[in-house]
Amino acid sequence: MKQKTISRIAISLLAIVMFIFGLYHFMYPQNLIAYLPGFLPPGNIWVYIPGAAFILAAIAFITNKQVRLAGYLLALLLFIFVVTIHLPNYLNGSSDEYRQISLINLLKDLALAAFALHIAANADN
């Protein structure tokens, strides 16, 4: 298989994952509200905005339009999640299990951000 084909498959897989994450934010916002940092005002808007961002990034990756912008913005959003949600939850977790879940989420979002950066850096548009 050509490298470009493999790359498109990988980008499409990321797009599918991001789309599902985005849908989850809209379908189950109450499940995610508990993870919001305390300095944010309460409200579902803080769950809906990232959900919309995930869906828009997925659309950009699938349609191959504005891929560079979508990749950089997705990476930024995921880095913000790492710093404001996952790292504090890991450092201040009330149990070993909660800290373990936070660490897994931190590493997952870091890896997804790295992939988004790679996509953005190699995008034609």
Side-chain angles (χ1 to χ4, degrees):
M1 230 186 263
K2 289 186 174 182
Q3 183 148 351
K4 189 165 182 117
T5 303
I6 294 170
S7 182
R8 282 304 307 157
I9 291 169
I11 292 168
S12 297
L13 288 173
L14 178 64
I16 291 166
V17 169
M18 290 296 104
F19 190 81
I20 292 169
F21 281 163
L23 284 179
Y24 188 86
H25 278 70
F26 282 98
M27 293 170 59
Y28 306 104
Q30 295 307 323
N31 294 355
L32 301 169
I33 289 268
Y35 297 104
L36 291 175
F39 61 82
L40 288 176
N44 286 357
I45 190 75
W46 302 112
V47 175
Y48 294 145
I49 290 172
F54 289 150
I55 291 170
L56 290 172
I59 291 169
F61 293 160
I62 291 292
T63 62
N64 206 25
K65 305 283 185 201
Q66 299 295 320
V67 173
R68 180 171 289 127
L69 177 63
Y72 285 136
L73 290 176
L74 177 59
L76 176 63
L77 177 65
L78 292 167
F79 283 132
I80 290 170
F81 283 3
V82 166
V83 172
T84 63
I85 298 171
H86 304 314
L87 185 60
N89 286 345
Y90 173 72
L91 295 174
N92 304 315
S94 58
S95 69
D96 287 342
E97 181 181 7
Y98 188 75
R99 282 191 296 279
Q100 183 179 8
I101 290 168
S102 298
L103 180 61
I104 290 168
N105 284 327
L106 183 150
L107 295 173
K108 172 206 38 112
D109 280 355
L110 215 49
L112 290 171
F115 187 24
L117 285 175
H118 178 74
I119 291 169
N122 292 292
D124 294 331
N125 57 21

